[in-house]
Amino acid sequence: MLKITFPPSPPRDAPLIIPVRPGQIPAQFQPAATAGAFTAAPETTCEIFAATGHTLLVGLGNPEATGALAASRLLRSPRIAIDARHLSPTDAAALAAGACLRAWHYDRLRTQPDEDAPLLAGLDLVSDNPKTRAAWADISAGIEGALFARDLVTEPANMLTPAGFIARLERLVEASISLEVLDAAALRAAGFGGLVAVGQGSVHPPCLAVLRWAGTHSAPPVGFVGKGITFDTGGISIKPADGMWEMRADMAGAAACAGAILALALRRSPAPVFAVLALAENATGARSYRPGDVLTMLSGTTVQVVDTDAEGRLVLADALAYAARENPQAMIDLATLTGSIVTALGHEMAGCFDNDPALAASAASAGAMVGEFLWRMPIGQSHRRALDSDIADIKHCVDGRGQPDACQAAAFLREFVGETPWLHLDIAGMESRAEADDLHAKGATGFGVRLLDRLIADRFEDPHRV
Amino acid sequence: MLEITFADPALPTSGALALLVAEGAGTSGLWGAADEATGGAVTRAFAAAEFTGKDGQSVTILAPGAGLTRIVAAGLGKEAEITDRKIEEAAGTLAAALTREKVAALAADGHAGGKAAAAAMGAVLRSYRFDTYRTKQKPEDLPKLAALTILTGERKAAEAEWAKLKAVADGVFFTRDLVSEPANILYPAEMASRIEKLAGLGLKIEVFGQAELEALGFGSLLGVSMGSAQPPRMVVMQWQGGGAEKPVAFIGKGVTFDTGGISIKPAGGMEDMKWDMAGAGAVVGLMAALAGRKAKVNAVGLVGLVENMPSGTAQRPGDVVKSYSGQTIEVLNTDAEGRLVLADVLWYAQQKFDPRFMVDMATLTGAIIVALGHEHAGMFTNDDDLAQKLLAAGTASGEKLWRMPMGREYDKQLKSDIADMKNITGRPGSSITAAAFLARFVNEKPWAHLDIAGTAWSSKDSATIPKGATAFGVRLLDRLVAEHFES
């Protein structure tokens, strides 16, 4: 995260970003703007090097996107400034937020300097409005949560094992979030048949993390549930080698839940929220669970395993059943669950499945506000029927290519949520970006953190509603 | 087609009797009469079979007495939730249970005349067969039921409603026949000549051949066709049932066989590609239905008919074609041909007819099956109002739709290095990018694209659709017109 300061006037020793609207280009920059064909159209830039200093004019559009674009042009500057004196505190803060998201990079594992890596570390948000600091405090919690999630998603699986993930949650405990961990023995004793089976092939035992933010309202909590497969080989139904390394990110759902609850704590949300993270490594080993195995889940439901690479729904099923015991107002699970959703929606939107259309609509609008888009997908009768098993209560997926696996996975999960209002966000394809562009850093996105933070703010913080 | 007659409610004394039973309903009407006449055999059988009238339940009672050969019953679910669609499904289930009978009656007493007609519709739709190419069927394998009497207290109303529904059923059957025909029999010219036979219904039919399409400049459609020995066709069907208003337009993809072309498909399952004309087939059936029931609407149906073959004259990956709209397309995969056909036909529909809206249907992408499966077709549209109307018509007709997204981020993936656009993108979101491609040939008209790749063909029987061609879209769009666009 960039270090943000709030000087009243622009510093002399850092490039200055000036957001402008058409017709408002400062006179001293007009000749350069004309020469560069810059008209201040939204989300365009004009970089000017003059004796008086280094300036970046940026056409003001969506404030976050504008901030991201400006940062993308100045990533090699250790420090930048944004002249926000003519902007509202909210817009000023959003510009800084966009810059922080764009400037994120992960260099903890480098031992030698990377000549292309961003150096940007500090941002002076130049503002004469005293409310700008408060606006920043408001938005920065979500940004910090998102960047925390990105770091988790990026960390390789030899370091971020289930136990490694738990260790990283120390940051949340520092923010007054309580952490309870059910270790493998506790999971076996309690009957987490799905999570135990998925984790049993690995030398890194599975565990369940339960995070709680108490809030101040005396209302039933909202539950976040995250899939946290720290590495997914596919298990006995092993994946092809190509691209398997990306499976270190198969815990992005759990990371998003952790990031979101951190955001709520950092901004002292009044809403009580808990998060259940199902952490396991799906390894190929002598103890691995097998295709054809029948598992007895925490809920008591028996599940016939078809493909050990459809492990996410097994760990989520137990985590959802566990979360439902708290009688939450609502449960939202996030998971990099299926390739099918990527075929369906590409890399632009996550799939949203639900048993509560109003909650789904709230989540979609919260997502749209923060640029994390959802599209509602169906759970049809045929999707559930396809899971009928010959020998157990249910199969967990359907054999064969071309299946609507995202819908079928959602139908499976629905069996474990009971009557609790519930959303399942299939974020596969959204957890990471293959390439950087003007508005986005390459790599982990932290998708879901800001959406959840916003959803809580929009729907669960009004004391009159609860 | 199963012959339907309507008669006043009276317990038959011979043949088979079919009952529609609401959940938890007490014996009454013909059901009560049948139970009494058989000495309580019906209620005893229901109890033994745990039949309570739930949705999807059915039971058969053989030789129950009272001269009847069999009694079959199907559940309707809760009384308050009975819709025409549920009646259709139950009646379809009953029809399937009656195929061994020569004479049968279906008791629809206690329901309004419209629901009695819906029962007839369900039974008829389920009894469809495509036996054209069977030469050795044994008599015992053939269904014996040729006629079904619907017993109703509202005979007049039922008959009036059935007259309309029968026209729709005719349209559905016409479509199912087209879609079921193998591709050596049904090639573009043959399909066009079958469509021409619909002129008798009052449709004005125009057929465009290779020369006419060349003269128009249909470079996109013609590129797909050029590998085949079978020349292409475009058929335009006009129905003038309304006043002076502009027509509504329906456009269908009609690839009579899709090998994939030079980008050839794998052999496994390629036989399914005979039904790659199901969108066009549905448009034809829809137009037959509208004309057959004399719908008070002006409608135009346009189908682009081609065969996609690999050969020495075939289009190559990398070719650039100029579409009828003037836009150029870099063809990177010759198996993404449906959109190339639709592009020219969509543009023509707008230029020629300036329609109120357009709906196209196409078995367009495998990705829509991975997205939604076989229960819903994917709907892509630029018009929220049309979307709502289509969704509602889909639910009511049992041909369900699910709306899928569109947007700039998808459209921009079509950027080509050397032409206005390319015809494929990567697999992620590829049903959406296919729709984005089509949208570039929609000239600010309200428009919806229905990707029916997962719903045009069924691998197993359902209540009103025997395994095989479904004619998905005919009833949906007929309903759309009937509810919103008839004067």
Side-chain angles (χ1 to χ4, degrees):
Chain A
M1 178 96 148
L2 300 181
K3 183 172 171 5
I4 310 285
T5 54
F6 300 89
S9 60
R12 292 185 172 280
D13 56 348
L16 182 66
I17 295 159
I18 307 180
V20 290
R21 294 193 171 86
Q24 296 177 356
I25 298 172
Q28 77 265 33
F29 299 122
Q30 191 57 60
T34 305
F38 175 76
T39 61
E43 291 155 43
T44 59
T45 58
C46 179
E47 195 165 7
I48 300 164
F49 298 92
T52 49
H54 180 182
T55 306
L56 184 79
L57 302 180
V58 55
L60 186 63
N62 171 301
E64 269 188 33
T66 306
L69 173 64
S72 78
R73 297 287 185 268
L74 298 168
L75 291 172
R76 293 288 287 172
S77 306
R79 196 169 124 240
I80 57 175
I82 296 176
D83 188 350
R85 285 174 293 184
H86 53 306
L87 298 179
S88 71
T90 318
D91 283 358
L95 275 158
C100 288
L101 289 168
R102 180 63 187 86
W104 173 83
H105 58 110
Y106 189 90
D107 55 10
R108 292 177 202 182
L109 302 177
R110 290 186 195 282
T111 62
Q112 289 158 14
D114 172 7
E115 287 180 7
D116 301 321
L119 300 174
L120 188 55
L123 188 152
D124 292 352
L125 189 56
V126 182
S127 172
D128 40 20
N129 190 326
K131 290 183 180 157
T132 299
R133 272 171 198 270
W136 171 246
D138 239 23
I139 198 169
S140 67
I143 304 301
E144 200 155 324
L147 300 186
F148 177 75
R150 287 186 190 181
D151 286 347
L152 288 175
V153 170
T154 310
E155 194 165 353
N158 57 333
M159 301 174 183
L160 196 84
T161 59
F165 199 119
I166 296 292
R168 301 302 175 276
L169 296 175
E170 195 51 41
R171 169 81 184 83
L172 276 60
V173 175
E174 288 164 13
S176 307
I177 294 164
S178 78
L179 168 64
E180 179 194 353
V181 179
L182 279 68
D183 65 12
L187 294 174
R188 269 194 297 276
F192 282 73
L195 180 53
V196 167
V198 170
Q200 75 194 26
S202 171
V203 299
H204 303 289
C207 60
L208 189 86
V210 184
L211 297 157
R212 290 176 206 277
W213 169 249
T216 51
H217 288 167
S218 57
V222 175
F224 301 157
V225 176
K227 168 184 171 185
I229 300 299
T230 57
F231 194 79
D232 181 16
T233 64
I236 295 297
S237 313
I238 197 165
K239 291 177 185 289
D242 281 354
M244 199 204 277
W245 62 274
E246 294 177 3
M247 288 301 117
R248 66 174 177 172
D250 210 18
M251 32 54 73
C257 294
I261 204 166
L262 174 62
L264 296 174
L266 290 174
R267 67 174 180 78
R268 317 293 301 171
S269 165
V273 172
F274 69 98
V276 179
L277 314 182
L279 304 174
E281 182 178 45
N282 186 23
T284 310
R287 291 179 187 278
S288 290
Y289 76 129
R290 287 150 293 256
D293 284 2
V294 173
L295 311 175
T296 300
M297 309 291 282
L298 181 66
S299 69
T301 302
T302 56
V303 174
Q304 184 179 21
V305 175
V306 172
D307 182 326
T308 63
D309 193 18
E311 81 299 331
R313 64 200 74 177
L314 295 172
V315 306
L316 279 177
D318 278 348
L320 282 166
Y322 186 77
R325 292 178 178 176
E326 309 245 339
N327 296 314
Q329 289 189 58
M331 295 195 293
I332 301 123
D333 80 68
L334 280 83
T336 48
L337 206 64
T338 67
S340 153
I341 203 68
V342 184
T343 300
L345 298 175
H347 301 288
E348 312 303 331
M349 303 183 186
C352 174
F353 299 85
D354 65 273
N355 63 5
D356 185 330
L359 182 61
S362 292
S365 76
M369 294 302 292
V370 297
E372 297 180 347
F373 296 98
L374 299 181
W375 191 263
R376 192 163 176 240
M377 295 288 286
I379 306 177
Q381 285 180 353
S382 61
H383 303 130
R384 171 61 189 84
R385 225 176 278 138
L387 299 173
D388 286 345
S389 163
D390 291 339
I391 61 166
D393 295 336
I394 190 170
K395 293 193 291 197
H396 84 313
C397 68
V398 182
D399 236 347
R401 290 171 53 81
Q403 294 293 336
D405 188 43
C407 301
Q408 290 162 349
F412 176 81
L413 293 178
R414 190 178 58 184
E415 299 292 310
F416 300 88
V417 301
E419 300 296 308
T420 309
W422 160 75
L423 301 181
H424 157 55
L425 308 186
D426 191 341
I427 63 170
M430 304 305 297
E431 75 280 12
S432 187
R433 298 185 73 91
E435 296 298 337
D437 63 22
D438 286 347
L439 306 184
H440 307 93
K442 181 176 176 171
T445 60
F447 186 96
V449 172
R450 301 185 67 209
L451 183 156
L452 290 176
D453 178 36
R454 181 84 194 200
L455 176 64
I456 294 295
D458 288 352
R459 196 177 162 94
F460 297 102
E461 291 185 358
D462 178 354
H464 301 294
R465 194 186 163 277
V466 295
Chain B
M1 182 181 286
L2 182 65
E3 197 186 317
I4 297 291
T5 50
F6 293 90
D8 295 330
L11 189 66
T13 52
S14 63
L17 175 66
L19 300 171
L20 299 165
V21 180
E23 191 172 352
T27 48
S28 64
L30 288 170
W31 169 16
D35 195 41
E36 204 177 307
T38 58
V42 179
T43 42
R44 281 198 304 278
F46 283 8
E50 298 180 37
F51 175 89
T52 56
K54 279 208 184 80
D55 244 351
Q57 281 186 330
S58 64
V59 61
T60 294
I61 313 161
L62 292 171
L68 297 171
T69 49
R70 91 171 68 194
I71 291 175
V72 294
L76 293 172
K78 294 197 179 73
E79 183 86 49
E81 294 167 13
I82 296 173
T83 58
D84 285 5
R85 179 65 195 149
K86 286 196 173 165
I87 296 263
E88 279 177 12
E89 288 181 331
T93 302
L94 292 172
L98 290 171
T99 53
R100 316 306 310 157
E101 298 289 338
K102 286 200 188 84
V103 179
L106 188 155
D109 60 321
H111 295 288
K115 292 218 162 30
M121 187 68 167
V124 164
L125 289 175
R126 178 60 183 270
S127 61
Y128 172 83
R129 289 173 68 92
F130 185 76
D131 283 340
T132 312
Y133 300 105
R134 296 187 195 280
T135 63
K136 294 183 175 172
Q137 267 182 326
K138 296 180 194 127
E140 63 267 30
D141 294 337
L142 287 167
K144 297 188 179 66
L145 190 69
L148 180 67
T149 305
I150 311 284
L151 305 171
T152 169
E154 298 186 14
R155 198 155 58 85
K156 283 274 176 319
E159 281 168 351
E161 183 61 21
W162 171 241
K164 286 186 266 175
L165 288 178
K166 181 175 182 303
V168 178
D170 282 331
V172 167
F173 281 24
F174 197 85
T175 301
R176 288 184 184 171
D177 283 349
L178 290 174
V179 176
S180 302
E181 284 285 7
N184 59 329
I185 305 294
L186 194 88
Y187 43 88
E190 170 64 16
M191 186 159 163
S193 74
R194 291 195 188 190
I195 297 170
E196 285 185 290
K197 297 198 177 101
L198 294 174
L201 292 173
L203 287 168
K204 180 184 162 199
I205 293 167
E206 254 181 303
V207 179
F208 296 70
Q210 175 87 24
E212 289 91 346
L213 296 172
E214 277 174 16
L216 280 168
F218 272 40
S220 183
L221 181 150
L222 289 167
V224 177
S225 169
M226 73 194 204
S228 172
Q230 297 292 350
R233 295 287 186 271
M234 175 173 73
V235 184
V236 178
M237 297 152 270
Q238 287 176 260
W239 169 249
Q240 292 287 332
E245 79 274 12
K246 287 174 181 159
V248 297
F250 303 102
I251 292 100
K253 167 186 171 183
V255 178
T256 58
F257 194 80
D258 180 16
T259 63
I262 295 296
S263 313
I264 198 164
K265 291 176 185 290
M270 202 203 276
E271 66 278 10
D272 288 349
M273 289 301 110
K274 73 170 184 180
W275 46 263
D276 208 18
M277 38 56 71
V283 167
V284 174
L286 168 68
M287 294 304 293
L290 295 175
R293 68 175 180 78
K294 308 232 175 300
K296 294 186 182 62
V297 68
N298 295 334
V300 55
L302 304 98
V303 293
L305 308 176
V306 300
E307 185 180 48
N308 186 22
M309 295 291 267
S311 75
T313 60
Q315 163 162 271
R316 290 147 292 255
D319 283 4
V320 173
V321 295
K322 184 167 186 178
S323 69
Y324 176 58
S325 72
Q327 301 176 89
T328 56
I329 304 160
E330 187 181 18
V331 179
L332 291 183
N333 186 321
T334 64
D335 195 18
E337 84 299 335
R339 65 199 72 180
L340 297 171
V341 172
L342 287 171
D344 280 347
V345 182
L346 279 168
W347 197 261
Y348 181 83
Q350 294 158 98
Q351 295 300 104
K352 179 77 180 176
F353 297 105
D354 188 24
R356 295 158 73 183
F357 68 82
M358 303 190 291
V359 177
D360 79 69
M361 289 190 285
T363 47
L364 206 63
T365 65
I368 203 68
I369 305 175
V370 176
L372 299 174
H374 303 285
E375 189 171 337
H376 302 86
M379 173 179 69
F380 303 83
T381 175
N382 60 4
D383 190 284
D384 290 342
D385 180 55
L386 186 58
Q388 289 312 316
K389 288 174 172 149
L390 278 164
L391 285 169
T395 304
S397 65
E399 296 180 347
K400 292 195 283 182
L401 301 175
W402 191 268
R403 190 170 184 182
M404 295 287 286
M406 300 194 68
R408 194 164 61 102
E409 297 303 317
Y410 297 102
D411 177 79
K412 111 185 155 181
Q413 296 173 31
L414 296 168
K415 193 170 161 54
S416 155
D417 289 339
I418 65 163
D420 295 336
M421 70 197 85
K422 56 186 182 181
N423 77 327
I424 51 152
T425 60
R427 187 158 178 82
S430 49
S431 299
I432 308 174
T433 53
F437 179 94
L438 296 179
R440 292 189 177 206
F441 298 88
V442 174
N443 200 358
E444 295 179 4
K445 284 278 172 221
W447 156 76
H449 155 57
L450 310 183
D451 192 338
I452 61 170
T455 53
W457 191 269
S458 173
S459 59
K460 51 179 192 280
D461 292 340
S462 66
T464 57
I465 305 171
K467 176 176 153 175
T470 63
F472 187 99
V474 175
R475 304 192 63 210
L476 163 76
L477 295 179
D478 176 69
R479 180 111 193 176
L480 175 79
V481 169
E483 298 215 327
H484 301 290
F485 296 100
E486 290 198 47
S487 46

